[in-house]
Amino acid sequence: MKKIFTYAICFFAAMVLFGACSPENYTLGDIDVTSAQLEKGKAFTVEHDASNPNIVYLTSLMDSKYTPLWEHPQGRSQEKKVTLKMPFPGEYTVKFGVETRGGIVYGEPVTFKIDQMYAEFISDETWTLLTGGAGEEKTWYLDLDAEGISRYFKGPMYFYGTGDWWGSINKTAAPLNSDSWSWEPDWKGNSWLMPAGDYGSMTFDLKGGANINVNHAMLGKVQKGTFNIDTEKKTIRMTGASPLHGKPQDGIVVDWGDVRIMSLTENTMQLAVLRDPVLSNDGAAMLTFNFISKAYKESLTENASADGSKTK
């Protein structure tokens, strides 16, 4: 009897131990929305403002338990209703999706058309500083040359947290989330960031539309595309082009067209894109590329030639 009791205790202990060591099984919820259900008119609407057709409203019709996911001409949004202010004529694409307990589902892209230009939407200073103004163009260079010289910034690239944006960088608003930090490496002590070289140029213009031409001299490619600015959120949506950057960063960003303007003056600019943690095997961060204007670079070169000195 004592042996039976002992065996019973041992068996019970083994079962407890086995249960403690067995991994728990976690499953995602079911995806209860299909791509076919995310149709315009049923899942969302795209409507022009009655008074100003250059204003377009994107509205989710989905239940509040689903997080709306928009990909639109001015970037990405998760709001139930998005207001787009479109200054230039053309045909534009919107993609709508939702985040469910089982994953993300997107519907088919839809288009809308803007028939006329509305100049008031490009009167904001951001447009002028970036492009030179209506009918003008402005060229920018990455702040690093073949001699390893950065003329304004400490180096060609800084790092910020995913919560950082124009407001937090310029100390006018709170970060977007709690991930707010910065690292501003000097190039000479961190040349692994990207090699010294002629990285080409990046030109924004407002000649019949919002156009961007990028000569990626170090990557061996030329891009011609379009862009749109959200002046309130200080973001740029680039289509068909990406900001100048180094080869080490080329394969670690999913969406080069989703750009945050971190700072912008007459002579300097910082544009940030999200480093993907999977592609980079590193944490998510805003890779922030530092630029100087063509006029600023040329003025420093002329001054250096006049007195025989070099910039930093």
Side-chain angles (χ1 to χ4, degrees), residues 231-251:
T231 57
E232 294 179 4
K233 295 182 178 179
K234 291 295 188 290
T235 59
I236 303 177
R237 164 50 66 177
M238 295 184 184
T239 303
S242 61
L244 287 174
H245 57 274
K247 190 173 182 179
Q249 295 80 45
D250 200 39

Side-chain angles (χ1 to χ4, degrees), residues 67-70 72 76-82 99 233:
T67 301
L69 303 171
W70 300 97
H72 54 72
R76 298 171 182 264
S77 306
Q78 294 185 0
E79 293 86 3
K80 185 175 180 63
K81 186 170 184 176
V82 177
E99 184 176 359
K233 295 182 178 179

Side-chain angles (χ1 to χ4, degrees), residues 111-123:
T111 60
F112 66 88
K113 190 176 181 182
I114 299 295
D115 294 321
Q116 297 180 348
M117 180 177 176
Y118 191 69
E120 185 176 331
F121 287 162
I122 59 171
S123 63

Side-chain angles (χ1 to χ4, degrees), residues 25 29 32 40 42-43 47 73 77 105 120 126 130 132 147 163 178 192 197 217 226 242 247 258 270 279 282 284 289:
N25 294 319
D32 54 356
K40 177 183 173 183
K42 294 181 179 179
E47 299 174 308
S77 306
V105 182
E120 185 176 331
T126 308
L130 181 68
E147 297 181 8
S178 60
W192 55 268
T226 59
S242 61
K247 190 173 182 179
D258 188 12
Q270 293 177 286
L279 295 177
D282 208 339
F289 298 95

Side-chain angles (χ1 to χ4, degrees), residues 30-156:
D30 293 332
I31 298 179
D32 54 356
V33 176
T34 65
S35 177
Q37 291 175 300
L38 299 179
E39 295 182 0
K40 177 183 173 183
K42 294 181 179 179
F44 67 98
T45 58
V46 179
E47 299 174 308
H48 293 264
D49 184 85
S51 301
N52 186 345
N54 288 66
I55 299 176
V56 178
Y57 303 111
L58 311 178
T59 306
S60 170
L61 303 178
M62 298 295 289
D63 188 277
S64 59
K65 69 179 180 179
Y66 301 111
T67 301
L69 303 171
W70 300 97
E71 293 183 7
H72 54 72
Q74 294 180 342
R76 298 171 182 264
S77 306
Q78 294 185 0
E79 293 86 3
K80 185 175 180 63
K81 186 170 184 176
V82 177
T83 301
L84 303 179
K85 296 180 179 180
M86 308 296 297
F88 299 104
E91 188 171 88
Y92 299 92
T93 301
V94 172
K95 194 173 181 181
F96 177 73
V98 292
E99 184 176 359
T100 73
R101 291 181 300 173
I104 294 174
V105 182
Y106 277 99
E108 292 296 318
V110 300
T111 60
F112 66 88
K113 190 176 181 182
I114 299 295
D115 294 321
Q116 297 180 348
M117 180 177 176
Y118 191 69
E120 185 176 331
F121 287 162
I122 59 171
S123 63
D124 186 274
E125 183 184 34
T126 308
W127 289 92
T128 303
L129 290 174
L130 181 68
T131 68
E136 303 294 333
E137 67 177 32
K138 191 169 181 179
T139 298
W140 298 87
Y141 298 104
L142 194 65
D143 195 9
L144 180 70
D145 65 15
E147 297 181 8
I149 295 175
S150 294
R151 289 167 168 78
Y152 181 85
F153 297 94
K154 297 176 185 178

Side-chain angles (χ1 to χ4, degrees), residues 143 150-155 158 265 268 291-292 296 300 312:
D143 195 9
S150 294
R151 289 167 168 78
Y152 181 85
F153 297 94
K154 297 176 185 178
Y158 292 168
T265 70
T268 66
F291 299 92
I292 56 175
Y296 179 74
L300 291 180
K312 66 178 181 177

